[in-house]
PDB file of all heavy atoms in Angstrom:
ATOM      1  N   MET A   1       0.800  -1.159   0.005  1.00 70.00           N
ATOM      2  CA  MET A   1       0.002   0.000   0.000  1.00 70.00           C
ATOM      3  C   MET A   1       0.856   1.246  -0.003  1.00 70.00           C
ATOM      4  O   MET A   1       1.750   1.365   0.824  1.00 70.00           O
ATOM      5  CB  MET A   1      -0.808   0.004   1.279  1.00 70.00           C
ATOM      6  CG  MET A   1      -2.203  -0.131   0.977  1.00 70.00           C
ATOM      7  SD  MET A   1      -3.295  -0.338   2.313  1.00 70.00           S
ATOM      8  CE  MET A   1      -3.303   0.968   3.238  1.00 70.00           C
ATOM      9  N   PHE A  29      10.406  53.021  25.288  1.00 89.00           N
ATOM     10  CA  PHE A  29      11.656  53.200  26.022  1.00 89.00           C
ATOM     11  C   PHE A  29      12.272  54.576  25.788  1.00 89.00           C
ATOM     12  O   PHE A  29      12.877  55.149  26.692  1.00 89.00           O
ATOM     13  CB  PHE A  29      12.656  52.093  25.672  1.00 89.00           C
ATOM     14  CG  PHE A  29      12.282  50.767  26.265  1.00 89.00           C
ATOM     15  CD1 PHE A  29      12.055  49.672  25.457  1.00 89.00           C
ATOM     16  CD2 PHE A  29      12.151  50.612  27.636  1.00 89.00           C
ATOM     17  CE1 PHE A  29      11.716  48.456  25.999  1.00 89.00           C
ATOM     18  CE2 PHE A  29      11.808  49.396  28.196  1.00 89.00           C
ATOM     19  CZ  PHE A  29      11.582  48.314  27.379  1.00 89.00           C
ATOM     20  N   THR A  32      10.155  57.131  27.976  1.00 86.00           N
ATOM     21  CA  THR A  32      10.239  56.986  29.425  1.00 86.00           C
ATOM     22  C   THR A  32      11.648  57.101  29.975  1.00 86.00           C
ATOM     23  O   THR A  32      11.833  57.158  31.186  1.00 86.00           O
ATOM     24  CB  THR A  32       9.653  55.633  29.870  1.00 86.00           C
ATOM     25  OG1 THR A  32      10.370  54.575  29.230  1.00 86.00           O
ATOM     26  CG2 THR A  32       8.182  55.564  29.546  1.00 86.00           C
ATOM     27  N   THR A  34      15.134  58.989  30.871  1.00 73.00           N
ATOM     28  CA  THR A  34      15.632  60.350  31.082  1.00 73.00           C
ATOM     29  C   THR A  34      17.119  60.383  30.756  1.00 73.00           C
ATOM     30  O   THR A  34      17.864  59.462  31.088  1.00 73.00           O
ATOM     31  CB  THR A  34      15.434  60.776  32.547  1.00 73.00           C
ATOM     32  OG1 THR A  34      16.093  59.847  33.392  1.00 73.00           O
ATOM     33  CG2 THR A  34      13.962  60.855  32.900  1.00 73.00           C
ATOM     34  N   VAL A  43      26.811  75.441  37.975  1.00 38.00           N
ATOM     35  CA  VAL A  43      25.867  76.325  38.657  1.00 38.00           C
ATOM     36  C   VAL A  43      26.347  77.763  38.548  1.00 38.00           C
ATOM     37  O   VAL A  43      27.477  78.059  38.903  1.00 38.00           O
ATOM     38  CB  VAL A  43      25.724  75.929  40.144  1.00 38.00           C
ATOM     39  CG1 VAL A  43      24.818  76.881  40.862  1.00 38.00           C
ATOM     40  CG2 VAL A  43      25.220  74.512  40.255  1.00 38.00           C
ATOM     41  N   SER A  52      11.194  92.047  48.062  1.00 57.00           N
ATOM     42  CA  SER A  52      10.368  92.835  48.956  1.00 57.00           C
ATOM     43  C   SER A  52      11.228  93.352  50.102  1.00 57.00           C
ATOM     44  O   SER A  52      11.978  92.593  50.715  1.00 57.00           O
ATOM     45  CB  SER A  52       9.211  91.989  49.489  1.00 57.00           C
ATOM     46  OG  SER A  52       9.734  90.895  50.194  1.00 57.00           O
ATOM     47  N   GLN A  58       8.322  96.533  65.182  1.00 54.00           N
ATOM     48  CA  GLN A  58       8.803  96.918  66.491  1.00 54.00           C
ATOM     49  C   GLN A  58       9.344  95.730  67.260  1.00 54.00           C
ATOM     50  O   GLN A  58       9.860  95.860  68.347  1.00 54.00           O
ATOM     51  CB  GLN A  58       7.659  97.583  67.273  1.00 54.00           C
ATOM     52  CG  GLN A  58       7.111  98.827  66.610  1.00 54.00           C
ATOM     53  CD  GLN A  58       8.177  99.897  66.415  1.00 54.00           C
ATOM     54  OE1 GLN A  58       9.097 100.029  67.204  1.00 54.00           O
ATOM     55  NE2 GLN A  58       8.072 100.668  65.339  1.00 54.00           N
ATOM     56  N   PHE A  72      31.991  86.168  61.893  1.00 87.00           N
ATOM     57  CA  PHE A  72      30.593  86.331  62.271  1.00 87.00           C
ATOM     58  C   PHE A  72      30.408  87.470  63.249  1.00 87.00           C
ATOM     59  O   PHE A  72      31.262  87.713  64.097  1.00 87.00           O
ATOM     60  CB  PHE A  72      30.080  85.052  62.954  1.00 87.00           C
ATOM     61  CG  PHE A  72      29.905  83.894  62.039  1.00 87.00           C
ATOM     62  CD1 PHE A  72      30.975  83.090  61.720  1.00 87.00           C
ATOM     63  CD2 PHE A  72      28.680  83.590  61.495  1.00 87.00           C
ATOM     64  CE1 PHE A  72      30.822  81.995  60.880  1.00 87.00           C
ATOM     65  CE2 PHE A  72      28.523  82.519  60.664  1.00 87.00           C
ATOM     66  CZ  PHE A  72      29.592  81.717  60.349  1.00 87.00           C
ATOM     67  N   LEU A  74      26.865  89.080  65.556  1.00 86.00           N
ATOM     68  CA  LEU A  74      25.434  88.979  65.842  1.00 86.00           C
ATOM     69  C   LEU A  74      24.990  90.310  66.422  1.00 86.00           C
ATOM     70  O   LEU A  74      25.489  90.741  67.481  1.00 86.00           O
ATOM     71  CB  LEU A  74      25.155  87.839  66.826  1.00 86.00           C
ATOM     72  CG  LEU A  74      23.720  87.659  67.264  1.00 86.00           C
ATOM     73  CD1 LEU A  74      22.838  87.306  66.060  1.00 86.00           C
ATOM     74  CD2 LEU A  74      23.597  86.579  68.311  1.00 86.00           C
ATOM     75  N   ASP A  98      13.772  82.558  72.793  1.00 84.00           N
ATOM     76  CA  ASP A  98      12.608  82.764  71.927  1.00 84.00           C
ATOM     77  C   ASP A  98      13.006  82.451  70.486  1.00 84.00           C
ATOM     78  O   ASP A  98      13.659  83.256  69.825  1.00 84.00           O
ATOM     79  CB  ASP A  98      12.115  84.205  72.052  1.00 84.00           C
ATOM     80  CG  ASP A  98      10.876  84.471  71.238  1.00 84.00           C
ATOM     81  OD1 ASP A  98      10.231  83.509  70.764  1.00 84.00           O
ATOM     82  OD2 ASP A  98      10.530  85.647  71.071  1.00 84.00           O
ATOM     83  N   HIS A 113      30.825  79.658  51.188  1.00 86.00           N
ATOM     84  CA  HIS A 113      29.507  79.033  51.327  1.00 86.00           C
ATOM     85  C   HIS A 113      29.389  78.316  52.664  1.00 86.00           C
ATOM     86  O   HIS A 113      28.317  78.294  53.265  1.00 86.00           O
ATOM     87  CB  HIS A 113      29.305  78.066  50.155  1.00 86.00           C
ATOM     88  CG  HIS A 113      27.946  77.462  50.089  1.00 86.00           C
ATOM     89  ND1 HIS A 113      26.820  78.217  49.858  1.00 86.00           N
ATOM     90  CD2 HIS A 113      27.543  76.180  50.228  1.00 86.00           C
ATOM     91  CE1 HIS A 113      25.767  77.418  49.856  1.00 86.00           C
ATOM     92  NE2 HIS A 113      26.182  76.172  50.077  1.00 86.00           N
ATOM     93  N   ILE A 117      26.313  78.320  55.565  1.00 89.00           N
ATOM     94  CA  ILE A 117      25.701  77.061  56.006  1.00 89.00           C
ATOM     95  C   ILE A 117      25.869  76.885  57.504  1.00 89.00           C
ATOM     96  O   ILE A 117      24.973  76.388  58.185  1.00 89.00           O
ATOM     97  CB  ILE A 117      26.320  75.869  55.234  1.00 89.00           C
ATOM     98  CG1 ILE A 117      25.990  75.979  53.753  1.00 89.00           C
ATOM     99  CG2 ILE A 117      25.823  74.547  55.786  1.00 89.00           C
ATOM    100  CD1 ILE A 117      24.512  75.997  53.432  1.00 89.00           C
TER     101      ILE A 117
END
Side-chain angles (χ1 to χ4, degrees):
M1 246 173 65
F29 288 120
T32 58
T34 57
V43 176
S52 60
Q58 299 301 328
F72 289 84
L74 178 63
D98 183 13
H113 186 64
I117 296 301

